[in-house]
Amino acid sequence: MRLRFEPIDLGRDGDRCVAFREDAYTLSYGDADRFHGSDGLGAVRYLEKMRQRCERYPGSCVHAWEGDRIVGQIELTRLTDAWDTGHVAFYYLVPEVRGRGYGPQLDAYALRYFTQVGCSAVQLGVARSNTRAIRFYQLHGWVEEGSFDGYGNVERMVHALPAH
């Protein structure tokens, strides 16, 4: 089944976005403490950042729909110090649809988005313990580039884009 991508409606689905992020942190780091922060306001900061991203980069934050239900989420941005490089801030699929071939559709959406806005490369960070994700990225043209900005347990991966 082809997924449908629609801009995130934070008013309607903000709680779902937070739940997806919590799940991803738990999968990658064992719990969501890093997401929530020592002050417990991580969800508030996250939703504000999402609101700003949605406004600044239309089409960069989308939910993936399978029929009438949300089954995934993508968050994209650009690097401020390398404007021609895109950054995948978040790929997510709900547990019950993982392994059903939807990952390549998320990846294709992101690569198409960054190509359309003129980027020459894309990067992302993935927990080194998430070997399944690393294998997926390698199979889809991503290359490991070492630790991600001071996070020793997070691998930086890069994908070149076609010349525009």
Side-chain angles (χ1 to χ4, degrees):
M1 174 176 254
R2 295 267 325 140
L3 295 175
R4 182 176 82 254
F5 297 98
E6 295 183 9
I8 292 174
D9 180 340
L10 287 173
R12 182 187 67 207
D13 298 313
D15 289 345
R16 185 184 318 258
C17 294
V18 169
F20 287 172
R21 270 294 182 157
E22 287 172 333
D23 184 46
Y25 269 78
T26 300
L27 287 170
S28 295
Y29 308 111
D31 58 50
D33 292 347
R34 284 176 66 173
F35 172 70
H36 290 292
S38 59
D39 60 4
L41 296 175
V44 172
R45 284 189 294 274
Y46 167 68
L47 289 173
E48 177 56 24
K49 184 184 286 186
M50 284 283 292
R51 184 192 63 72
Q52 292 172 6
R53 227 179 243 159
C54 290
E55 287 177 6
R56 185 166 185 195
Y57 308 110
S60 67
C61 297
V62 296
H63 274 141
W65 291 77
E66 177 189 64
D68 63 352
R69 71 184 187 124
I70 295 171
V71 298
Q73 183 170 312
I74 302 173
E75 298 172 28
L76 309 171
T77 189
R78 292 172 91 162
L79 299 182
T80 54
D81 59 341
W83 194 245
D84 66 334
T85 302
H87 176 73
V88 176
F90 193 50
Y91 279 160
Y92 182 82
L93 288 169
V94 296
E96 59 270 20
V97 302
R98 293 177 190 154
R100 290 183 31 198
Y102 289 157
Q105 291 182 53
L106 270 62
D107 198 48
Y109 179 94
L111 298 178
R112 191 170 45 254
Y113 173 86
F114 286 123
T115 299
Q116 290 172 349
V117 298
C119 291
S120 60
V122 181
Q123 73 166 16
L124 58 77
V126 59
R128 287 205 166 102
S129 61
N130 194 345
T131 55
R132 182 178 178 184
I134 291 171
R135 277 192 309 273
F136 169 85
Y137 295 131
Q138 290 170 332
L139 286 171
H140 290 89
W142 294 82
V143 177
E144 294 176 68
E145 292 274 325
S147 292
F148 192 84
D149 295 334
Y151 294 98
N153 62 341
V154 178
E155 182 70 28
R156 180 176 178 263
M157 299 190 79
V158 176
H159 194 298
L161 296 173
H164 38 276

